Amino acid sequence: MLKSLQISNYALIDSLDVSFPEGLIIISGQTGAGKSILLGALSLLLGAKAESSAIGGNADSCVVEAVFSIPASDSVLMEIIGENDLACEDGELILRRVVNKSGRSRSFVNDSPVSLQILQSIGTRLVDIHSQHQTLLLSDHEFQLSLLDHYAGCGSLLTDCASTYSKINNLESQLSDVNSRLSILSEEREYTEARLVKLEKAKLQERELESLEAEQKQLANAEEIKESLGAAESIFNGEYSDGEQVSIVSALKEAQKSLEKIQNFVPEAASLASRIEASRLELSDIEQEVSAANDGVSLSEDRLNAVEDRLSLLYDLMKQYGASNVTELIAKRDALSQKLFDSTSLDERRQALEKEIESEKKIYDRICSTLHSKRQKAVRSFSNKVMESVRSLELEHAIFDVQISPAMPSKNGKDAVRYLFSSTGNDPLDLSRCASGGEMSRLMLCLKAMMAKFVNMPTLIFDEIDSGVSGSVADKMGRMICEMGGDMQIFAITHLPQVASRGNAHYLVEKEYNALGTKAYSSIHQISGNDRVMEIARMLSGEKITPAAIANAKSLLAGR
């Protein structure tokens, strides 16, 4: 329930700090005093759209804060609090909304900043505001269905139904995406396969191009290479044109021996002999490598043709696939292979999604069937209770009925409802076509009274729900609202003394002016005793309060 409300710089409210008790709370005041402003501030706190025009005077911001005691039995509210790590001590929640001049707002729950969505989700569990224009909801078929569902106790089923419906929609969206991608891949499949076959047939190898290019150059110039290597090898072997045959290695060996013979006489000879030995060994290795290279040079025309054909294939593939080397060709081959694999994988994913959707639809159908049965079972009792309640408000011949019909699948199942009504006892028609404003007010009150027994709502606010009624009907509506106050905290903003006299507490909204009469302020304070008698007398007789009105007011208060 709402324990206290603090407002600063909101419209005509400069500063306000007021506490509220349990039960039925009456709020009254002259037209224009600021009752709607008070309701607007509370709506802002519960997540209504924030506007900078709401900031009063020359202030930079307005603040609305309220303290609520919360029912531990409300598992949904407790889940919201837990999911968002909001501390909740002593069963109380403090909601605060701050709006600055730019129109931007900040929201807090127990001093922790929260998003507007979280504030709204919490607010809908704490307060239900029913304005005089909300009777239009009676023409809304979804609202009508929700009332029947509350009465029938379909809460957990509706949660499961909405969850399953959402899951089916999500799965179908995934399936649509997979089908779209498969369609594109199917159109490209033959082309992709043909390109992949070419690349796989080529049996590509890393660094192959560079190796073939080097081999092709060698084979193309094999004769010249072999001639040069042969000449170098001949020199190592000491084959000269004069026919003498002394190899370089042998000559160096002889030079080394000669130097070693004189090393006892010429000290430098030993060092020179050692250097010659090192050179001889190095040249011997070079000779062997030149000889091996010469032996390895092929003069095969067939191999040259094979290498050039292979190079031609690689160059063509690189051009076709926009690659600059064989590594890129291999990457493109692997990408094409993956693309074809993705097609197979997507097809498997499609089959899995179709199977899952079929399974979820069976679950959804079972839930819808159970919902339909519960609704059908509750319709007659629901209709009779509403009709009995409406008839008690001087619509003795009223007929109220609920018609259930098939509807397109939705989060609420596969049922649609229509409320049928007749105030005269004739064949009932669709509610929106046959009820007057006063009849709508009475019918809405009856429905709200039923909801108060089945919905875990701590606080309900009626904003002139008694509009369009008077006399004994107003008195009976006052009794009904008072009975609701026994189950929950009820705020009734009213102009009717028959309703106002029923309250456990009465608050008066007044408009005051500064000393110069240039600025207006709205205030609210609790009244009792003679002040309350005089307020109800004013509601009875208008601006001029008569002794008869005062006596009548006392009589109303005494009979509550």
Side-chain angles (χ1 to χ4, degrees):
M1 69 172 220
L2 176 60
K3 295 181 70 175
S4 64
L5 180 66
Q6 298 82 39
I7 303 172
S8 63
N9 304 319
Y10 181 83
L12 297 181
I13 300 175
D14 187 33
S15 179
L16 175 68
D17 188 347
V18 59
S19 298
F20 300 106
E22 297 179 358
L24 174 59
I25 299 159
I26 301 299
I27 298 177
S28 67
Q30 294 187 355
T31 302
K35 299 186 295 297
S36 60
I37 294 174
L38 188 67
L39 196 59
L42 189 55
S43 298
L44 178 70
L45 179 68
L46 299 175
K49 183 180 178 181
E51 295 181 353
S52 59
S53 58
I55 300 174
N58 297 317
D60 294 325
S61 63
C62 69
V63 181
V64 183
E65 182 177 299
V67 178
F68 293 90
S69 63
I70 60 173
S73 58
D74 191 339
S75 58
V76 176
L77 178 57
M78 291 304 178
E79 185 176 344
I80 295 170
I81 292 170
E83 285 177 351
N84 294 282
D85 296 323
L86 300 172
C88 181
E89 297 180 1
D90 301 323
E92 286 189 350
L93 279 182
I94 302 173
L95 273 58
R96 184 167 74 254
R97 186 101 180 267
V98 181
V99 182
N100 59 35
K101 281 187 173 180
S102 67
R104 300 188 65 178
S105 70
R106 291 176 296 152
S107 306
F108 302 86
V109 175
N110 286 355
D111 292 326
S112 296
V114 297
S115 67
L116 183 59
Q117 288 74 19
I118 293 173
L119 184 73
Q120 289 170 336
S121 64
I122 290 174
T124 56
R125 306 298 304 181
L126 297 175
V127 178
D128 177 20
I129 299 178
H130 175 83
S131 68
Q132 58 182 313
H133 305 295
Q134 201 185 14
T135 50
L136 294 173
L137 279 174
L138 280 176
S139 301
D140 184 295
H141 295 302
E142 188 168 336
F143 177 72
Q144 293 177 358
L145 180 62
S146 72
L147 292 178
L148 176 62
D149 284 336
H150 280 306
Y151 178 81
C154 296
S156 60
L157 272 174
L158 284 170
T159 300
D160 293 342
C161 186
S163 174
T164 307
Y165 181 74
S166 176
K167 189 173 183 179
I168 291 171
N169 283 341
N170 180 261
L171 290 170
E172 288 182 337
S173 176
Q174 292 181 49
L175 179 61
S176 176
D177 180 60
V178 167
N179 283 332
S180 177
R181 290 163 63 191
L182 275 171
S183 177
I184 294 170
L185 287 173
S186 178
E187 292 173 3
E188 297 178 350
R189 188 176 184 86
E190 288 186 11
Y191 177 64
T192 301
E193 285 178 339
R195 285 165 64 84
L196 178 61
V197 166
K198 274 189 178 182
L199 290 174
E200 286 184 336
K201 194 174 180 181
K203 300 187 185 306
L204 301 169
Q205 299 177 27
E206 292 282 359
R207 309 296 299 171
E208 181 186 14
L209 183 66
E210 293 82 357
S211 176
L212 287 170
E213 286 176 338
E215 186 179 359
Q216 188 271 340
K217 286 180 182 179
Q218 187 182 90
L219 288 167
N221 298 280
E223 291 185 5
E224 183 180 349
I225 293 168
K226 199 162 185 68
E227 183 179 339
S228 297
L229 288 171
E233 189 177 6
S234 298
I235 291 172
F236 275 104
N237 293 326
E239 296 178 357
Y240 299 104
S241 56
D242 58 5
E244 293 185 9
Q245 194 172 20
V246 180
S247 71
I248 295 173
V249 176
S250 298
L252 286 173
K253 185 66 176 175
E254 291 301 321
Q256 177 189 349
K257 290 179 178 179
S258 298
L259 288 171
E260 286 175 346
K261 287 179 181 179
I262 62 170
Q263 63 184 351
N264 293 328
F265 310 105
V266 181
E268 294 86 350
S271 174
L272 291 170
S274 178
R275 290 170 65 188
I276 287 174
E277 172 65 11
S279 298
R280 184 181 68 78
L281 292 173
E282 179 66 18
L283 286 170
S284 179
D285 286 344
I286 293 173
E287 178 191 8
Q288 291 176 15
E289 290 186 21
V290 169
S291 179
N294 190 22
D295 292 340
V297 174
S298 173
L299 294 173
S300 172
E301 189 71 23
D302 291 341
R303 177 58 184 166
L304 176 60
N305 290 335
V307 169
E308 288 182 340
D309 287 346
R310 181 65 177 174
L311 283 171
S312 179
L313 172 64
L314 293 178
Y315 290 146
D316 286 345
L317 289 172
M318 286 161 58
K319 184 177 180 181
Q320 287 179 33
Y321 292 88
S324 59
N325 52 51
V326 174
T327 299
E328 291 183 14
L329 276 177
I330 291 173
K332 288 184 180 291
R333 178 199 65 193
D334 293 344
L336 289 170
S337 178
Q338 182 62 41
K339 196 171 185 179
L340 289 174
F341 174 78
D342 286 347
S343 175
T344 303
S345 178
L346 280 172
D347 192 51
E348 291 174 355
R349 175 63 177 152
R350 176 179 63 184
Q351 293 177 35
L353 283 170
E354 288 173 342
K355 194 172 182 180
E356 192 173 359
I357 288 169
E358 184 181 357
S359 174
E360 290 298 325
K361 281 186 173 180
K362 287 180 180 178
I363 295 171
Y364 176 74
D365 288 342
R366 285 198 297 270
I367 294 171
C368 290
S369 177
T370 307
L371 271 172
H372 179 75
S373 297
K374 289 199 75 168
R375 287 164 177 163
Q376 285 283 21
K377 189 175 180 181
V379 159
R380 184 48 47 209
S381 172
F382 176 75
S383 300
N384 288 340
K385 284 183 180 295
V386 173
M387 187 160 60
E388 181 183 343
S389 184
V390 171
R391 286 180 173 180
S392 72
L393 297 179
E394 298 189 8
L395 289 172
E396 294 86 355
H397 303 290
I399 296 176
F400 178 84
D401 199 4
V402 178
Q403 186 180 80
I404 299 179
S405 58
M408 293 295 291
S410 73
K411 64 179 183 179
N412 297 319
K414 296 180 180 180
D415 292 329
V417 302
R418 282 199 312 149
Y419 285 3
L420 306 177
F421 181 75
S422 170
S423 61
T424 60
N426 295 324
D427 291 338
L429 300 174
D430 192 288
L431 184 64
S432 61
R433 295 169 48 196
C434 62
S436 67
E439 291 167 350
M440 282 285 205
S441 293
R442 280 177 268 185
L443 186 54
M444 195 63 172
L445 177 59
C446 294
L447 291 168
K448 288 284 183 176
M450 289 183 65
M451 284 183 68
K453 296 176 182 176
F454 298 104
V455 182
N456 193 10
M457 179 64 65
T459 298
L460 177 60
I461 299 176
F462 287 123
D463 181 19
E464 299 185 14
I465 194 173
D466 46 26
S467 176
V469 298
S470 59
S472 59
V473 174
D475 184 60
K476 291 174 180 178
M477 289 181 73
R479 289 179 184 274
M480 188 175 290
I481 292 172
C482 186
E483 288 175 6
M484 292 171 66
D487 298 319
M488 61 194 299
Q489 185 187 46
I490 301 287
F491 285 82
I493 300 173
T494 182
H495 287 293
L496 293 180
Q498 296 94 328
V499 175
S501 64
R502 299 283 175 185
N504 303 107
H506 193 147
Y507 289 77
L508 179 64
V509 179
E510 294 182 300
K511 183 183 287 185
E512 302 170 350
Y513 291 87
N514 60 8
L516 297 175
T518 56
K519 186 174 181 180
Y521 299 93
S522 287
S523 65
I524 181 172
H525 59 275
Q526 188 172 3
I527 57 174
S528 59
N530 189 59
D531 290 337
R532 188 175 184 189
V533 171
M534 296 306 290
E535 171 60 12
I536 292 176
R538 180 197 64 77
M539 296 170 75
L540 284 163
S541 64
E543 234 178 273
K544 187 176 179 181
I545 300 175
T546 64
I550 294 173
N552 196 2
K554 289 179 178 179
S555 175
L556 285 173
L557 287 168
R560 64 190 176 91

